[in-house]
Amino acid sequence: MASEIRVNKIINRSGLSTVTFTSDGAIVSGIVSATVYTGSGANLTDLPAGNLSGTLPAISAANLTNVPAANITGTLPAIDGSNLTGVGASFGNSSVNTSGIITATAFVSDTPLSHRNKVINGAMTISQRDTSFASTLSEAQYTVDRFHHSIRGTNDSYYYQVSDSPDGFNKSMKVKCNSTYTPSGSDNAGFATTLEGQDLQDLAFGTSSAKSITISFYAKSASQNNGHQYSFQIRSYPSGGATARTVTNSFTVTSSWQRFSFTFAGDTGADIRNDNAAGMQLLWWLDAGPTDIISQITSFTSSASYRAVTGQDHFLNNTSNEFYITGCQLEVGPVATPFEHRSVADELARCQRYYFAMCTDTYEILGTGHQYYSGNIFIPVYFPTTMRSEPTLEALAGGSGAYVYEKLFGNSAQYHHQISQETGKTGHNQSCIIMSGDASRQGQTVRCAAHSFGSDTQRFVAFQAEL
Amino acid sequence: MAYPTNPIYKLMKNGIDVTEPDGVETMEGHIRKVIPFKSDNTDYQVYLAWVAAGNSPEAAD
């Protein structure tokens, strides 16, 4: 027979703890202990954190929130990161490297994604004047397009456009020591390329926002000068004719192609002139006299001098010394990005702003001229691109009586040994070539052409507006 | 027209209605360089430096 006790409250002997029975349960005022508890713990609340200890069971962490970042340590598992959001700031100044593909709605870069390379013809693909410059060159005489000889003292170096090049390139400029010389004092010998100031204003030099710049290039030596240390110098030209600003660095070539790169902090101390004159010159010194060899200049400093770096070797000490260079790139930012290859057409057009080889072979046409009453023929010439300045005409000239140029009135050919240009009417976009004519033919048009002069490799007519 | 040899530059005033020199010519080997009087032409700047050094060009024809 079942039995039961019906009470609403039980009090222990000391009277300190009770069990009170309500209409829907029991309330214990003391400590509850048992060997086993069964039933749902769903309504357990307000558990003190200190009482949650031991090993967490293998449960889902789906509802974990407010986990402090400092408590997330250790190695991330190889998980799918497809849902990572808001990670931009957390990358800070770190680099992200991947061998996979990165796609995005947009890429926003502090540096240009195209037109990065400030150097024109950095891959040495264009050489309008010739491909061999095997004669004694004068100061600032151009070789491969946009690159010119530089000399104080003696620099008997020959230049060539050659096919020897690192993978991914097909041309380089070769410099060869033609005769030995020991530089003294402020002598220096090398080559340079010069950039217009108006193309460098994005560097923000002369402001607190001046941007760092990085130069990179590929170079190698012959076996004779393997291990030689040479110097690189930048000279920037502030507005108002202030003293040039300069930085330097050194590099050691071997007989194998290497890529070199140097980054220089932007110049907050001086601007760059903002016009079509020289704004910056990049110089490679293969030799220098002792006066010009000093410690590396790591930040832009006012200096009118040409400088090489301590440890400079002497390219002119042996006629077997050779230096090859290609892939020259000057870009904004602290990193040397891959070389920006441009098409030959693009590069040629850029070069023609400074030099336009108009007539490069026998019988090539100068143009159709107009016989003026004075006896001169005026031949209008339009340049393929706007030139940097009103250019100089460079035209082959033979001795008096030489058949260098030809004019055709109908079937009558006549010859001249030289031509000229109408300097007062030369512009950035056009010029007017002058050839002696025949006053009796006034008012007639005439076909004018190159005719012959020595080797066919000679450039008959060119316009130059170099820096 | 005679080649300028010494002095190395010769003034030019060729063209229509040109009464004052507006350029110079010089020879570099077989290359005749005809240089306009334009301030941003670097050949003209070299010529000006040559004149500033105390030299004088040959008169124009």
Side-chain angles (χ1 to χ4, degrees), chain A residues 138 392-400 404-405 417-419 453, chain B residues 1-10 12 24-35 58:
Chain A
S138 56
T392 296
L393 169 71
E394 295 182 351
L396 277 175
S400 181
V404 183
Y405 299 99
H417 68 284
Q418 63 180 7
I419 58 175
F453 189 99
Chain B
M1 184 181 291
Y3 290 130
T5 52
N6 189 15
I8 60 173
Y9 288 101
K10 183 174 183 176
M12 304 182 69
V24 289
E25 65 170 313
T26 189
M27 290 296 295
E28 285 185 1
H30 291 296
I31 302 294
R32 185 188 195 196
K33 299 180 72 170
V34 182
I35 304 165
E58 184 178 328

Side-chain angles (χ1 to χ4, degrees), chain A residues 276 372 378 388-398 417-425 453 464 466, chain B residues 1 3 12 14-18 22-25 27 30-38 40-43:
Chain A
N276 65 345
Y372 196 58
F378 294 92
R388 185 194 65 83
S389 70
E390 293 93 333
T392 296
L393 169 71
E394 295 182 351
L396 277 175
H417 68 284
Q418 63 180 7
I419 58 175
S420 185
Q421 78 169 332
E422 198 171 10
T423 46
K425 298 180 178 64
F453 189 99
Q464 86 88 14
E466 292 284 5
Chain B
M1 184 181 291
Y3 290 130
M12 304 182 69
N14 55 10
I16 301 171
D17 299 329
V18 177
D22 56 9
V24 289
E25 65 170 313
M27 290 296 295
H30 291 296
I31 302 294
R32 185 188 195 196
K33 299 180 72 170
V34 182
I35 304 165
F37 283 173
K38 301 293 183 182
D40 54 359
N41 182 301
T42 50
D43 288 322

